[in-house]
Amino acid sequence: SMGAVEQGRTRSAAARAAGAELLRSLRPSDRVACAAFSDRLETPDGRLAWTDAGACRQLLERGEPGRRTTDFAAALRPARELLARSSPGRKRAVLLLSDGAAHGLRPGAAADIPVLALDWPAAPFNAAALSASAARGSSPERPCLRVRLWAAAGRESSLDLWRGGSHLAATAVALRAGEAPPIELALPAAAEGSRPEWSGRVELRPDALAADDSWFFSFAHPRRRRLVVLYGNPAFLKAPEAGYFLKELFGGAKGRLLEWDAEFASLERLRSGELGLSGFDAAVLADFRTVPAVSAAALESFVRAGGGLWILPGRQSGAALAALADWLPAEVDDAGGAAARGLRVAAASGPFAGWSGFELDQAALRRCLRLSPRPGAETWLRDGSGEPLLVGAAHGEGRVVVFGAPLDAVSGNLPVKPVYAALVSAAAALSLPPPERAESFSAVVGEPLTRVWSAREAAPAMVSVRAPDGRLTRLWVKDRRARYDLADRPGLYVMDDGAAGRVYAVNLDRSTGESDPAPAAAWPRLRPESLREEFWLRVSGRDARGAALLAAAALLLVEMVLAAPRAAATLLLGLLLAGPAAAQEGDRFVWTQLKLGPDWDPYPTAPAEAVSYLAAATSVLVEPRRRAIAADDPALLRSPLVILAGRQAPPPLDAETARRLGAYLAAGGTIWIEDVSGGAVSPFDRWVRCAAAQLLPDAALEPLDADHVVYRTFFLLRAPAGRVLVRGTLEGVSWGGRTPLIYSRNDLLGPWVKDALGRPLLPCLPGGEAQCHEARKLAINVIMYALTGSYKADAVHQPYLLQKLRSGLP
């Protein structure tokens, strides 16, 4: 949660800066210890030791939000132990550089030493994706995803569904405070029909904490069961024989009515060895006169290994069952067969649930075999007189079911009754264990990914695992097991065994409340922007400030390894954002953004990234916090560059606003306008063209020449760039020997937007990362142009620029 962004920078960055300032105020005789913590103290031995302020500052500089949850007690216990061993008479305190969220206050967090924490403004709005998994009614034919969402407050948002790099759907969602009712999203058909597997991610609209906006999912449905119907009567598939009606159920002119893949084959193919049973889950043995010994042996072996068998006699069966008699669930007597009327369900549960709606008393059977169930067998269906009609039992690892009457239209009226499909489905289902539910392949960051091959599967000698960042790791398979221990970030991990890949979804642990940055008032709180003064006032008193504050033992516990979503208090033991005070400008560049209309801030995190890059690439001194102003703000005239971005058209400029902005341009200021819509036609573009005519009526908004100095103020660029390529050039209004208004339609701000892991959040199309890099360089050039004007247009620079162009340097 310390990755939450407020006023253009994360709480962790604000906390690190405040902690570093405090460390610089220590005296040589002061003692200090520091460590990072999450749900544990992140030191090799789990203990604290005294060190110096320089080492602590280095720890702060390296600190970034982690991926574990928070336990303050894990940090305070070793802190208490260390301070208890310090010399008597010294003043001592623990400073938590954290957002102090309630979920970290587990038993043992209180300590008998002074504990100080950071005080933050009201928590920014945050919403989180809590989970995404197969919905209860999901099936291979109609896959469906169930998504759970949470929000700190009610708000309208949108939920995007992604598979790989493809955006599948966007759904508007109405969030409410707390957990919202689950949302179900329809998924497209599986990429391979024989492998009903789905993986991807759902993503909420970006907010203050990006780390918990996404949830990765991966699950598989059991493949549709395969059934083979073996028959001995050559006319079995013709009306009015049983096969004619069975084939209609399993895939006739009206399509498949039962969730099975069925194949029909003569019993002779099994005897000759042309047909094997290993690729089927169950078999139906129907309408046969004899069962050859070799076929009987194949069927018994199939059942013992876990297959299902349904015996469906024909009009002339009976004695033909002798070859199977030893392992059937009932003794079959053909001699006493008689007609029967009506059906009675033994237990209205499982496959027989809902049978009360059928007119079972209207069923008529002209001839039934007499079934005498053996010990251990179960009777599910009886005829109207109470005689067993459907009997089954286990045999080895599989099951055998016997129906005591033919199912052709000559032997009874069942094929033309509504109960017929339910009867066939129930008999087939009873021959197998209950179908498996969808299997989820998911893990939490830091947990191992383990795959085990069953005895019926061919285990490979080696597998490869590709991580979300492209890392490839090869693993040996030992004892039919492969284990991957490097799932250290959220995303989809693909384990490939050479035959079929399995995708694992790895997410941050959302079970602890790490997404809610709302603090708990457990300790005295100090403001990050005045941490140094308030800390010494708390520890030593007002009169001692500035004196030799010798005895203060400041233990800086830096909470780094956070877990990204649900509560707050994580990251750098004290990462909280500075308050809303205006940035001190001096000689520092401040990213100043103009607030016009409700859509003025499309990318809240982009300014911090751009300013950080500006400081690293140039000699410009920067203020990390951005400034958002209205047109009537006095700070307007202290800003050499003002940025205006948007997708939708702001309200038309009133006369006073147009006058103020025009005066700003005339006084030497520069306005950079950015259309981030990515469309060839946008309401924002139409608004810009009208507004430009109001601000500078004496000049026109026109394309800038390819040799305009903005293309070489810092980086030497050969063409415009952007996240998208809507227009082949920048536009601007040239006036008074300079270009005070620069307009880009290619979304130069989009490439600066990153997720919690530092990866670009928006794709640059069509050129990918190379295009993003050029867009970032052009954005820096626009800033440098506003700061330096036409400096690089001077003739003294021309030979150097021409040489770079000829050499192909960037």
Side-chain angles (χ1 to χ4, degrees):
S1 61
M2 288 297 290
V5 176
E6 295 174 342
Q7 297 185 353
R9 68 172 176 173
T10 63
R11 285 184 167 185
S12 74
R16 291 200 307 270
E21 180 66 19
L22 175 61
L23 287 168
R24 281 190 284 269
S25 71
L26 297 181
R27 301 226 175 179
S29 56
D30 293 333
R31 303 181 73 188
V32 62
C34 55
F37 78 95
S38 56
D39 57 352
R40 66 193 72 179
L41 201 64
E42 302 292 338
T43 59
D45 58 359
R47 303 181 64 184
L48 279 168
W50 297 113
T51 182
D52 57 68
C56 286
R57 285 198 301 272
Q58 291 180 7
L59 179 63
L60 286 173
E61 292 172 358
R62 296 193 303 267
E64 286 297 337
R67 301 182 179 93
R68 304 184 68 91
T69 188
T70 304
D71 183 357
F72 293 126
L76 295 179
R77 279 192 296 268
R80 182 172 59 242
E81 294 169 1
L82 178 66
L83 292 180
R85 299 193 298 268
S86 63
S87 303
R90 279 185 176 267
K91 295 179 180 178
R92 59 198 72 177
V94 174
L95 176 62
L96 292 172
L97 296 180
S98 170
D99 52 6
H103 77 284
L105 297 174
R106 304 176 192 181
D112 53 358
I113 52 175
V115 177
L116 304 174
L118 294 179
D119 187 24
W120 302 100
F125 173 80
N126 184 52
L130 298 181
S131 69
S133 57
R136 183 181 300 273
S138 180
S139 66
E141 292 74 24
R142 296 179 181 85
C144 188
L145 192 66
R146 182 178 185 267
V147 182
R148 294 170 50 235
L149 304 174
W150 172 92
R155 181 175 291 190
E156 297 296 321
S157 186
S158 63
L159 184 67
D160 292 294
L161 176 62
W162 294 80
R163 181 169 64 182
S166 301
H167 182 258
L168 301 181
T171 304
V173 294
L175 299 173
R176 67 183 187 186
E179 185 171 343
I183 296 173
E184 293 194 355
L185 303 176
L187 294 171
E192 297 183 33
S194 60
R195 296 171 58 196
E197 301 175 354
W198 293 264
S199 61
R201 76 178 190 275
V202 292
E203 193 171 77
L204 281 167
R205 180 184 300 163
D207 53 31
L209 183 59
D212 60 4
D213 293 335
S214 299
W215 186 274
F216 296 89
F217 64 88
S218 179
F219 67 91
H221 280 293
R223 62 172 175 78
R224 192 162 44 239
R225 295 183 171 188
R226 296 191 67 212
L227 179 77
V228 58
V229 181
L230 302 169
Y231 55 88
N233 179 4
F236 179 71
L237 300 178
K238 298 179 181 179
E241 303 300 332
Y244 174 81
F245 299 99
L246 289 176
K247 198 156 189 177
E248 286 296 310
L249 288 180
F250 290 117
K254 297 181 180 179
R256 180 188 294 111
L257 300 180
L258 299 181
E259 298 300 329
W260 293 74
D261 282 334
E263 181 176 330
F264 291 76
S266 69
L267 189 58
E268 174 60 23
R269 292 181 60 193
L270 179 64
R271 185 200 65 78
S272 66
E274 180 184 349
L275 177 71
L277 299 176
S278 60
F280 298 96
D281 299 292
V284 178
L285 184 60
D287 199 359
F288 48 91
R289 292 173 180 266
T290 61
V291 180
V294 64
S295 299
L299 289 168
E300 183 181 15
S301 177
F302 171 66
V303 174
R304 283 189 174 278
L309 178 62
W310 173 22
I311 305 293
L312 179 59
R315 292 192 296 275
Q316 300 174 4
S317 295
L321 289 171
L324 314 175
D326 291 343
W327 49 278
L328 292 183
E331 294 182 8
V332 180
D333 184 1
D334 190 18
R341 186 167 188 86
L343 299 176
R344 291 165 53 185
V345 175
S349 60
F352 296 99
W355 274 43
S356 58
F358 297 120
E359 297 178 342
L360 300 182
D361 58 336
Q362 298 300 313
L365 298 171
R366 293 184 178 178
R367 180 173 176 273
C368 296
L369 303 177
R370 178 172 295 172
L371 304 182
S372 302
R374 289 181 168 143
E378 187 174 1
T379 300
W380 287 294
L381 196 63
R382 300 178 183 274
D383 62 23
S385 63
E387 292 295 321
L389 189 62
L390 184 64
V391 179
H395 183 62
E397 298 294 323
R399 297 185 63 80
V400 183
V401 176
V402 177
F403 188 69
L407 279 182
D408 57 84
V410 175
S411 302
N413 63 0
L414 279 177
V416 297
K417 291 292 183 181
V419 74
Y420 176 70
L423 173 62
V424 173
S425 178
L430 288 173
S431 69
L432 291 172
E436 300 175 358
R437 292 187 175 182
E439 183 178 5
S440 177
F441 307 116
S442 60
V444 173
V445 165
E447 290 182 350
L449 307 181
T450 304
R451 181 173 180 182
V452 179
W453 284 262
S454 69
R456 299 182 65 180
E457 296 178 293
M462 178 181 287
V463 297
S464 62
V465 180
R466 185 174 298 279
D469 60 359
R471 290 177 298 165
L472 191 65
T473 304
R474 300 190 184 279
L475 305 173
W476 290 103
V477 177
K478 299 179 180 179
D479 299 326
R480 309 184 69 81
R481 178 187 297 264
R483 173 174 166 143
Y484 179 77
D485 293 311
L486 302 177
D488 55 359
R489 65 186 63 194
L492 298 176
Y493 292 73
V494 181
M495 182 179 291
D496 189 358
D497 62 3
R502 173 172 292 178
V503 180
Y504 291 88
V506 176
N507 291 284
L508 298 165
D509 185 1
R510 308 289 165 87
S511 64
T512 61
E514 197 68 51
S515 285
D516 185 359
W523 305 286
R525 296 189 170 269
L526 313 177
R527 294 173 298 171
E529 63 270 24
S530 56
L531 175 63
R532 174 175 171 171
E533 293 79 7
E534 293 187 25
F535 175 82
W536 290 122
L537 183 60
R538 285 273 185 179
V539 172
S540 300
R542 180 176 300 277
D543 293 338
R545 283 194 303 170
L549 305 175
L550 303 176
L555 176 61
L556 299 181
L557 298 176
V558 185
E559 177 192 354
M560 273 167 54
V561 192
L562 160 113
R566 255 198 144 186
T570 61
L571 232 218
L572 258 234
L573 221 219
L575 294 182
L576 270 163
L577 140 42
Q584 295 296 321
E585 296 172 66
D587 58 350
R588 294 177 179 270
F589 169 74
V590 182
W591 180 286
T592 304
Q593 205 155 334
L594 190 61
K595 296 194 293 184
L596 275 180
D599 193 34
W600 67 272
D601 192 18
Y603 301 133
T605 62
E609 295 290 337
V611 167
S612 176
Y613 187 84
L614 177 68
T618 74
S619 59
V620 175
L621 300 177
V622 303
E623 165 57 43
R625 290 172 293 180
R626 72 170 176 177
R627 178 169 52 206
I629 63 173
D632 58 354
D633 194 316
L636 176 67
L637 296 178
R638 301 199 304 269
S639 307
L641 173 66
V642 172
I643 297 95
L644 172 61
R647 293 186 178 89
Q648 299 299 322
L653 292 179
D654 57 57
E656 179 61 19
T657 300
R659 186 193 67 77
R660 288 178 179 275
L661 294 179
Y664 167 75
L665 295 174
T670 301
I671 296 180
W672 166 18
I673 304 178
E674 191 64 43
D675 184 349
V676 302
S677 66
V681 178
S682 75
F684 186 79
D685 176 65
R686 291 191 293 271
W687 180 90
V688 169
R689 299 187 184 281
C690 293
Q694 289 179 264
L695 299 181
L696 294 170
D698 298 332
L701 182 63
E702 297 176 337
L704 300 183
D705 294 337
D707 61 350
H708 193 282
V709 69
V710 73
Y711 296 122
R712 56 180 187 272
T713 50
F714 188 78
F715 293 106
L716 184 57
L717 303 176
R718 293 167 176 79
R723 185 184 66 82
V724 292
L725 300 179
V726 175
R727 192 169 179 87
T729 180
L730 291 175
E731 295 179 82
V733 177
S734 297
W735 181 82
R738 64 189 186 93
T739 306
L741 190 151
I742 297 175
Y743 176 39
S744 165
R745 300 205 54 205
N746 294 335
D747 191 8
L748 291 180
L749 300 181
W752 299 103
V753 183
K754 297 181 179 180
D755 62 16
L757 304 179
R759 300 171 302 190
L761 194 61
L762 302 174
C764 290
L765 303 173
E769 178 54 30
Q771 180 177 321
C772 282
H773 185 54
E774 292 300 305
R776 297 186 195 105
K777 293 196 294 184
L778 182 54
I780 296 300
N781 274 20
V782 173
I783 296 173
M784 294 299 291
Y785 177 76
L787 299 179
T788 65
S790 59
Y791 165 70
K792 279 293 181 73
D794 293 345
V796 67
H797 296 286
Q798 291 179 7
Y800 167 71
L801 295 173
L802 290 173
Q803 181 182 356
K804 285 191 72 175
L805 285 171
R806 287 193 294 267
S807 65
L809 293 174

